[in-house]
């Protein structure tokens, strides 16, 4: 699917990008130009340079600065097209940037809907996570359990233990605030845990659950 090879000696395939294109118009496709899907890595001479000169650079210059070029076929006879692109790395993990470039073609009368789904396949069950989120699921499991245990221990020490009844520690404002902080922290971590559990399956998670987790975190603070 590409007309440019990856640089480097024996780069390792670390993930995949699935690109789905849907043409939402019955209008004839303009002739004489091409549509490209470009992938840039975070090297100084690639995305950083291309972004600074994006408005003034030519189509060929954008393609030359990218790490991989994939020509996207927008055919009249086919409404949908799918591409599977392998992401390769050799030196270190990188941030990747995706963009479309229309070269010599005007698509304003040919609406196109697209879907881009990238995965970190070398991370197994964490393939939906970006590198900066790898391991977060385990962290939230640990802290959810820890905050629940801390809340139970505080409740036992201040409410149910005989020595705490005279005077009643549960009525002390500091104890009440501490118990509230533990409960809110446990709720925050539990909600984030649920969000990331959904994220592992669909790549999106739940914005509502994530919002509630942020609210619980604010209460805890």
């Amino acid at each position: 699917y590409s007309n440019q090879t990856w640089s480097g000696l024996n780069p390792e395939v670390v993930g995949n990008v699935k690109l789905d294109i849907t043409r939402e118009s019955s209008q004839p496709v303009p002739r004489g130009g091409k549509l490209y899907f470009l992938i840039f890595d975070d090297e100084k001479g690639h995305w950083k340079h291309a972004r600074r000169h994006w408005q003034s650079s030519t189509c060929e210059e954008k393609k030359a600065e990218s790490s991989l070029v994939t020509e996207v076929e927008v055919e009249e006879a086919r409404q949908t097209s799918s591409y599977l692109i392998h992401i390769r790395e050799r030196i270190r993990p990188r941030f990747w940037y995706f963009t479309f470039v229309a070269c010599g073609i005007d698509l304003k009368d040919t609406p196109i809907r697209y879907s881009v789904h990238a995965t970190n396949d070398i991370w197994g069950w964490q393939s939906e996570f970006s590198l900066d989120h790898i391991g977060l699921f385990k962290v939230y499991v640990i802290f959810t359990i820890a905050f629940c245990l801390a809340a139970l221990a505080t409740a036992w020490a201040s409410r149910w233990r005989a020595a705490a009844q005279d005077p009643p520690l549960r009525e002390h404002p500091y104890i009440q605030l501490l118990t509230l902080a533990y409960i809110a922290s446990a709720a925050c971590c539990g909600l984030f845990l649920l969000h990331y559990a959904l994220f592992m399956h669909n790549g999106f998670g739940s914005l509502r659950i994530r919002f509630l987790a942020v609210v619980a975190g604010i209460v805890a603070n």
Side-chain angles (χ1 to χ4, degrees), residues 137-153:
F137 188 83
K138 294 180 180 179
V139 171
Y140 280 117
V141 169
I142 294 172
F143 277 94
T144 299
I145 296 174
F147 281 125
C148 286
L149 292 176
L152 290 174

Side-chain angles (χ1 to χ4, degrees), residues 80-178:
T80 61
S81 301
S82 295
Y83 301 84
L84 182 63
I85 305 168
H86 300 302
I87 297 292
R88 301 176 184 271
E89 293 176 342
R90 182 172 63 92
I91 299 177
R92 62 171 176 82
R94 298 186 180 277
F95 287 98
W96 296 93
Y97 303 88
F98 312 134
T99 184
F100 289 95
V101 174
C103 300
I105 183 173
D106 187 358
L107 297 175
K108 64 181 181 180
D109 295 325
T110 309
I112 293 177
R113 178 165 50 88
Y114 66 90
S115 171
V116 178
H117 185 192
T119 55
N120 267 325
D121 292 336
I122 63 171
W123 290 98
W125 61 274
Q126 298 184 92
S127 62
E128 291 290 349
F129 294 97
S130 59
L131 184 64
D132 54 333
H133 283 70
I134 294 296
L136 269 183
F137 188 83
K138 294 180 180 179
V139 171
Y140 280 117
V141 169
I142 294 172
F143 277 94
T144 299
I145 296 174
F147 281 125
C148 286
L149 292 176
L152 290 174
T154 303
W156 174 81
S158 62
R159 294 170 181 268
W160 304 317
R161 193 164 62 101
Q165 303 304 317
D166 188 23
L169 288 179
R170 64 182 180 181
E171 296 179 3
H172 196 289
Y174 285 169
I175 296 298
Q176 293 178 345
L177 286 174
L178 182 61

